[in-house]
Amino acid sequence: MVLAIRISDVTKRYGSFTAVDRVDLAVEQGEVFGFLGHNGAGKSTMINMLLDFIRPTSGSIEVFGADCRTDGVSARERMGVLPEGYGVYAGLTGRQHVQFAMDSKGVEGDPLDVLDRVGITDAADRDADGYSKGMAQRMVFAMALVGEPELLVLDEPTSGLDPAGAKAMRETILEENERGATVFFSSHILEQIEAVADRVGIMHHGQLAAVDTIDGLREKAGGETKLIVSVSDPDESLPETVEGIDGVESARINDEQQVEVTCAKHVKMDVLLALNGQNSEVLDVTTEEPSLEDLFVEYTRGSE
Amino acid sequence: MSHWLTIARKEVRGLLGNRSAKAGVALVALVFVFGGYIVPTSVSNPTMVDYDGFLRGIVLFLVPLFGLLLGYRAVVAERAAGRLVLLLSFPHSRADVVLGKVAGRGFVLLGTLTVGVLAGAALVEYPFGTVALDAVAIYLGATALLGAAFLAIGIGLSTLTTSLRRATVLTFAVFFLFVVAWPQLDGYLYMGLEYLNLADETLPDWARFVHGAEPSLLYQRVLDSYVSTNKIRSGAYLGTAGPWFLQGGPAVVLLGAWVVVPTLAGYLRFRGTDL
């Protein structure tokens, strides 16, 4: 099966600044791919190249086998796009915007159907220039949904939306995926990605730092646990005792006189038994599981 | 529906929904109507020659300005406001965008001039004048070509820069150079050529051709050839006795080239740039 998106060794330079650095990525048909990274990490540059708004310095991008550079129109015929930094047409209503999207894609139908799906039916006949940021975002999302595209490309789709609106949009994204659409969307908010994406690419300083499934990332992140143990009689000898256990990476007494142990998941019990056995008694235990957030921080810290 | 036609339709709808564009359109049409109203008050049996004679000086400023103003924001303003991003996220090519904009804005230009000129001509004809239909058609065609040439130049300019301010400055520089300064330069051209021993009594024909290749001078040559034939009004035309390349026909072709070349250059420029 042909890939929905194939990005091959793509670099984009602006003078001496490298916005995107040798990125390779393949997105399968039918998956929801989340593109995660800080603002300025190169996500939008990458998406703008996918849409042929800007041209790669080297490398190539294909959408369903169509080269985005030389055959951009066929590539975009199969896409529904929610771009970043768009402006709406003053003087055209929401309904007319969607009608324009339909004309552009050669689709028949009632604009109200998609406006209904994004929940701005009431504002359909108002000048889109007067829409709030969130309403404009919904309207352009509706334009992207026109014609049941095979690939949805959404750049920071939930920006400007309130939490309820963001949730509704995530549900629509999942519905579209159920229908068979491949979804490629970017966000700098981890929860957004975590909630819908099958796979995640982490973009950092123009490079693709990691690509994995959510579970895969969690596994990488979840290899180690931090135990914080309150003991009745904290003593400098305790960390030493614990560090002797196989699987413990480090142990120390923190400022609140608790024992802080970083260890592999499966030795947690051994650590507790060791701490409880001697002159002291374990009073309380809390654990800190590293989150995807930590992993994200881990991946994006190095060259900060 | 073709992609460029979709864009052209949206252009027309957008222009007609814009108050200042509507005011400009009305003003230009009214000037042509006004000409038809005034001419019969000073001439007893007015024809298109009198209409042309009365309006020529105004039209030479008004129509190029109208064309440039219709065109110069076309791409740059959309780009600055992010509407180009929205437009191009649909399956339109860059060629569709340029063609759609030229077609849509050209349609508004043509519509304005048609209404103005036809109403003006009707006022000349009624009740005492005589208006030949072919003269009206040629007058309208030439005036529309003049406007379209400056529209194309404006749209071409609007692809050159990403800053609206810079586009405005460029547009007025072009207006000043082409419409105000260039037609006055023939004297200097003659002096220069005379100094180089390339000219005798008058400008040589080839120099007249080069100098007269500017759109507003070409427009004058076309009107002098076909509309006001017995009343040559500009130095751009030597009458039927002149060489073939200074006749009306080649002038029409050159004026057409002023529509095509800036459009094409604008497209080539736009095709290669990042948004």
Side-chain angles (χ1 to χ4, degrees):
Chain A
M1 194 163 58
V2 62
L3 288 168
I5 301 175
R6 178 199 290 282
I7 298 172
S8 316
D9 198 25
V10 166
T11 296
K12 176 67 182 179
R13 274 189 218 100
Y14 293 99
S16 62
F17 174 68
T18 305
V20 169
D21 191 5
R22 292 162 294 167
V23 168
D24 279 293
L25 180 65
V27 176
E28 304 275 349
Q29 288 190 33
E31 70 175 327
V32 179
F33 191 92
F35 207 40
L36 183 65
H38 293 301
N39 293 326
K43 297 181 310 255
S44 286
T45 308
M46 197 66 242
I47 288 182
N48 287 343
M49 285 192 283
L50 189 70
L51 300 171
D52 195 35
F53 293 166
I54 60 177
R55 280 63 188 265
T57 310
S58 63
S60 71
I61 308 176
E62 287 174 13
V63 169
F64 296 109
D67 190 294
C68 293
R69 181 76 188 81
T70 57
D71 200 9
V73 172
S74 344
R76 277 176 279 134
E77 259 163 11
R78 306 174 74 169
M79 290 188 210
V81 184
L82 173 52
E84 204 200 20
Y86 60 82
V88 302
Y89 287 96
L92 296 190
T93 64
R95 186 199 293 265
Q96 284 171 324
H97 273 84
V98 174
Q99 186 63 55
F100 174 71
M102 289 179 155
D103 293 345
S104 298
K105 288 214 164 154
V107 174
E108 302 285 322
D110 187 352
L112 276 184
D113 293 344
V114 273
L115 288 171
D116 222 18
R117 283 189 73 189
V118 300
I120 51 167
T121 321
D122 295 342
D125 292 312
R126 271 171 44 200
D127 189 336
D129 203 29
Y131 282 6
S132 69
K133 175 80 178 73
M135 286 167 77
Q137 188 80 353
R138 286 163 190 237
M139 180 189 77
V140 178
F141 184 48
M143 291 169 79
L145 294 176
V146 162
E148 303 207 327
E150 290 162 81
L151 171 65
L152 278 173
V153 175
L154 314 169
D155 198 350
E156 297 280 353
T158 53
S159 73
L161 295 181
D162 55 30
K167 182 161 180 286
M169 182 178 281
R170 283 200 299 273
E171 278 161 11
T172 311
I173 290 173
L174 288 174
E175 278 166 31
E176 287 292 299
N177 183 237
E178 288 283 295
R179 169 177 73 70
T182 309
V183 182
F184 184 86
F185 78 105
S186 76
S187 180
H188 64 281
I189 303 165
L190 188 79
E191 292 81 52
Q192 302 287 358
I193 301 250
E194 215 177 338
V196 289
D198 301 319
R199 281 202 306 151
V200 183
I202 297 178
M203 196 78 181
H204 185 58
H205 285 281
Q207 290 181 325
L208 198 54
V211 182
D212 208 338
T213 60
I214 293 279
D215 289 341
L217 285 179
R218 208 184 284 286
E219 199 139 301
K220 277 183 203 158
E224 283 179 342
T225 304
K226 189 187 277 179
L227 280 177
I228 298 165
V229 189
S230 301
V231 289
S232 58
D233 187 15
D235 184 308
E236 277 306 326
S237 69
L238 288 177
E240 282 169 34
T241 319
V242 172
E243 271 179 342
I245 303 171
D246 204 22
V248 171
E249 190 178 288
S250 67
R252 68 187 184 96
I253 307 267
N254 69 12
D255 298 340
E256 285 148 54
Q257 297 299 307
Q258 296 158 316
V259 186
E260 241 181 66
V261 185
T262 308
C263 63
K265 265 181 181 170
H266 64 272
V267 297
K268 274 189 285 195
M269 212 52 216
D270 299 338
V271 170
L272 289 179
L273 287 173
L275 287 174
N276 203 29
Q278 322 226 338
N279 313 329
S280 66
E281 199 178 327
V282 172
L283 303 175
D284 193 14
V285 183
T286 55
T287 59
E288 278 180 11
E289 297 283 342
S291 60
L292 283 180
E293 191 72 45
D294 295 329
L295 186 77
F296 178 45
V297 169
E298 188 79 11
Y299 272 117
T300 57
R301 192 172 44 199
S303 41
E304 206 77 35
Chain B
M1 191 163 28
S2 314
H3 289 303
W4 67 269
L5 209 55
T6 308
I7 296 173
R9 271 198 352 176
K10 192 189 54 54
E11 275 309 285
V12 173
R13 208 178 286 156
L15 278 175
L16 297 183
N18 179 314
R19 197 175 299 162
S20 57
K22 256 193 300 207
V25 162
L27 178 77
V28 171
L30 274 178
V31 165
F32 283 94
V33 178
F34 176 74
Y37 179 76
I38 291 294
V39 168
T41 62
S42 56
V43 186
S44 52
N45 292 308
T47 62
M48 280 309 279
V49 178
D50 302 302
Y51 184 68
D52 172 30
F54 178 73
L55 278 181
R56 180 80 65 95
I58 306 169
V59 168
L60 281 175
F61 279 87
L62 186 70
V63 172
L65 188 65
F66 184 47
L68 281 173
L69 289 181
L70 266 180
Y72 88 102
R73 293 172 61 93
V75 176
V76 68
E78 301 254 300
R79 186 190 293 219
R83 288 191 292 265
L84 220 43
V85 166
L86 191 59
L87 184 61
L88 281 170
S89 68
F90 288 94
H92 304 299
S93 66
R94 303 270 175 115
D96 292 329
V97 173
V98 173
L99 195 61
K101 285 186 177 289
V102 171
R105 285 164 195 248
F107 178 80
V108 170
L109 178 99
L110 184 65
T112 308
L113 295 179
T114 305
V115 169
V117 169
L118 289 186
L123 286 172
V124 171
E125 160 95 12
Y126 184 83
F128 302 115
T130 358
V131 167
L133 269 185
D134 55 348
V136 177
I138 292 168
Y139 183 80
L140 176 58
T143 309
L145 263 183
L146 175 69
F150 279 95
L151 173 72
I153 292 170
I155 289 179
L157 288 177
S158 82
T159 62
L160 287 183
T161 168
T162 53
S163 139
L164 190 54
R165 196 176 48 84
R166 206 169 294 160
T168 311
V169 171
L170 263 177
T171 303
F172 281 94
V174 163
F175 179 76
F176 181 79
L177 175 70
F178 275 25
V179 178
V180 181
W182 187 263
Q184 317 295 328
L185 289 181
D186 53 344
Y188 296 99
L189 185 61
Y190 172 63
M191 271 158 44
L193 290 175
E194 196 184 32
Y195 180 75
L196 295 171
N197 275 330
L198 288 169
D200 298 330
E201 306 280 298
T202 56
L203 266 184
D205 290 342
W206 66 264
R208 204 174 283 280
F209 176 78
V210 171
H211 176 249
E214 180 272 331
S216 69
L217 288 173
L218 289 171
Y219 170 72
Q220 300 216 57
R221 193 183 291 159
V222 173
L223 289 189
D224 289 344
S225 307
Y226 299 119
V227 178
S228 306
T229 41
N230 299 321
K231 210 175 182 180
I232 292 168
R233 311 189 51 90
S234 69
Y237 180 53
L238 299 175
T240 44
W244 68 270
F245 54 83
L246 292 182
Q247 301 299 319
V252 172
V253 174
L254 277 178
L255 202 48
W258 274 106
V259 181
V260 176
V261 174
T263 304
L264 210 60
Y267 162 64
L268 289 176
R269 162 82 192 177
F270 184 46
R271 190 182 62 173
T273 50
D274 289 351
L275 289 188

